Amino acid sequence: MNKQVMLKNVLVLTIFVLVAGKSKGFEQEPSTRLLQRAEKNLTRTIVHDVFSPPVASRIYLYANAAAYETLAMGNTQYNSLHGQIQNFPDVPGIQNTGKVNYELAAVYAFFKTGGKLVFSEYLLKDSIEVILADFREKDRMVYDNSLKLGQMVSDSIISWSTRDNYALTRKKRRYTYSKQKGKWTPTPPGYIDAVEPYWSQIRSVSLDSAGQFKPVPPPAYSTDTTSRFMKEVLEVYRATQKLSKEEIAIASFWDCNPFYLNTQGHLNFATKKLSPGGHWISIVGQATESAGKNWIETSSTYLLTSIALFDGFISCWDEKYRSQLIRPETMINAYVDEKWRPFLQTPPFPEYTSGHSVISTAAAEVLTALLGDNFGYDDYTETEYGLPMRHFASFKNACNEAAISRLYGGIHYRSAIENGQVQGAGIGRQVLLKIKLKR
């Protein structure tokens, strides 16, 4: 027996010892913090692997669909996604597994699904061993059945994910930049190629099509200082010249740029950061814990928010590569001040509409419907990145701050922010209209 097999056997035995030997069944219901910890570990893996914001939203969607679908099997008050979402599988139930612990099965399904969608699956394997040990299930048969069910659900969700056109978009030809004036080109310091130019071809969940909430066109490109477009360019320039401490704090808190590139002379190195979707997944965990939600309530909140983020990126990216609008940095350097740099680093994709404005508003619509219009909370998401906690009086208060942060950061015009929020609100309402989880 080689060392790798021996180590695996030791880990399995350790888990069994930890989960066995006290009273039959659970000593107490497992805390929903176990699900929150699972989400955090998936987020850390996503950050480690430097996935783009759209791709990160895809990982959250399928992992949370697996967890929710497992829990819904054991709760007659909640509906399956089967029959509500196009081509969603009829996931096999407990008839083939025997008695199970649904919370344990859900966490296992979450990890197994997430692990198939990231590069560094070994990071999640470490998390599985630790978190599963917190389940105090004495009956080994129930424990094994639970993992078996979790695996079955994960297999079904992964099979469903393979038909969302993601693999096909990996094979597309390299993006060709438009030579027309006013069209987007890569920006300093990295001049990174266009990110996910074919994301609109990904299969949506609640949307009829990527263009269902197509926003109004951006202001017409012009270098005339009296034009609406140039007035918005100058607004960005002037706003960033006199940022207050609060505006700097807002821009920094909502930066969420996984592509941040540090430059020191000829040396370039990346700083790994949270994606916008990852920030809202963190908010879900903090808010549901504060509200005292149970397992199925917490999981359904993660799921609906994940769908809003996923469809939000599809809709937003559809518009970004339709309008291909030039970024403020390029305009200001060419026509206003060649030495100007935005407070935040410009991300590598077209300007219109603002992705953070779209997905934040979509997520806020869902969370407001589920947890309340005036749900106040403290957001500690960015503390591990050295930024202080911020308090929000409501989810809409938070999404409005996230949206305007893009102006303070110097990376979006006002039209992209305001029209992006209209776009996001429509997507959030569509998610709530299309998908009914609770009976």
Side-chain angles (χ1 to χ4, degrees), residues 298-318:
T298 298
S299 181
S300 61
T301 306
Y302 273 122
L303 174 60
L304 288 176
T305 304
S306 296
I307 294 172
L309 297 172
F310 181 74
D311 282 354
F313 277 114
I314 290 174
S315 177
C316 182
W317 256 240
D318 177 55

Side-chain angles (χ1 to χ4, degrees), residues 333-348:
N333 288 166
Y335 297 102
V336 182
D337 181 351
E338 65 179 8
K339 295 182 179 180
W340 179 86
R341 290 293 179 268
F343 178 71
L344 299 180
Q345 203 169 93
T346 303

Side-chain angles (χ1 to χ4, degrees), residues 125-379:
K125 286 182 177 179
D126 291 343
S127 300
I128 290 175
E129 307 301 341
V130 174
I131 292 179
L132 293 191
D134 281 341
F135 287 88
R136 309 290 187 222
E137 181 62 67
K138 181 180 179 181
D139 190 328
R140 181 57 190 257
M141 184 174 292
V142 173
Y143 185 85
D144 290 343
N145 287 343
S146 301
L147 267 56
K148 182 179 179 181
L149 176 61
Q151 185 68 65
M152 290 168 61
V153 175
S154 177
D155 290 344
S156 293
I157 298 300
I158 288 297
S159 178
W160 179 53
S161 76
T162 61
R163 301 187 294 276
D164 69 358
N165 298 325
Y166 179 76
L168 292 176
T169 61
R170 304 306 93 186
K171 301 174 184 178
K172 294 284 187 179
R173 298 176 65 179
R174 188 173 180 177
Y175 180 72
T176 303
Y177 302 98
S178 172
K179 296 181 180 180
Q180 295 180 19
K181 288 186 177 181
K183 298 300 182 183
W184 176 78
T185 56
T187 50
Y191 297 94
I192 300 173
D193 286 341
V195 168
E196 299 298 340
Y198 306 108
W199 198 254
S200 64
Q201 297 176 24
I202 299 295
R203 177 190 62 199
S204 59
V205 176
S206 70
L207 305 181
D208 296 336
S209 68
Q212 183 177 357
F213 292 97
K214 178 182 176 182
V216 298
Y221 171 78
S222 173
T223 57
D224 184 343
T225 56
T226 64
S227 68
R228 181 184 171 192
F229 178 74
M230 202 60 188
K231 285 179 180 179
E232 292 199 7
V233 172
L234 294 172
E235 179 186 23
V236 174
Y237 177 68
R238 290 164 183 155
T240 55
Q241 300 300 300
K242 51 180 181 179
L243 291 174
S244 67
K245 289 184 178 180
E246 176 67 0
E247 289 169 341
I248 290 173
I250 290 171
S252 300
F253 189 78
W254 295 102
D255 183 13
C256 305
N257 181 8
F259 302 103
Y260 189 83
L261 184 65
N262 300 275
T263 57
Q264 296 180 4
H266 295 291
L267 176 65
N268 294 333
F269 62 96
T271 298
K272 296 179 179 181
K273 291 186 176 183
L274 200 69
S275 71
H279 193 133
W280 280 96
I281 289 295
S282 174
I283 289 173
V284 172
Q286 295 171 88
T288 51
E289 182 180 11
S290 174
K293 296 299 182 181
N294 63 29
W295 272 82
I296 189 69
E297 291 168 337
T298 298
S299 181
S300 61
T301 306
Y302 273 122
L303 174 60
L304 288 176
T305 304
S306 296
I307 294 172
L309 297 172
F310 181 74
D311 282 354
F313 277 114
I314 290 174
S315 177
C316 182
W317 256 240
D318 177 55
E319 179 56 41
K320 279 186 179 294
Y321 288 97
R322 178 187 300 108
S323 53
Q324 303 175 58
L325 190 61
I326 192 170
R327 285 279 184 172
E329 186 166 10
T330 309
M331 282 298 299
I332 293 171
N333 288 166
Y335 297 102
V336 182
D337 181 351
E338 65 179 8
K339 295 182 179 180
W340 179 86
R341 290 293 179 268
F343 178 71
L344 299 180
Q345 203 169 93
T346 303
F349 32 79
E351 192 273 344
Y352 189 82
T353 50
S354 159
H356 221 325
S357 302
V358 174
I359 65 100
S360 294
T361 307
E365 284 285 332
V366 168
L367 289 170
T368 298
L370 297 178
L371 297 175
D373 191 34
N374 296 307
F375 188 97
Y377 66 97
D378 296 330
D379 187 350

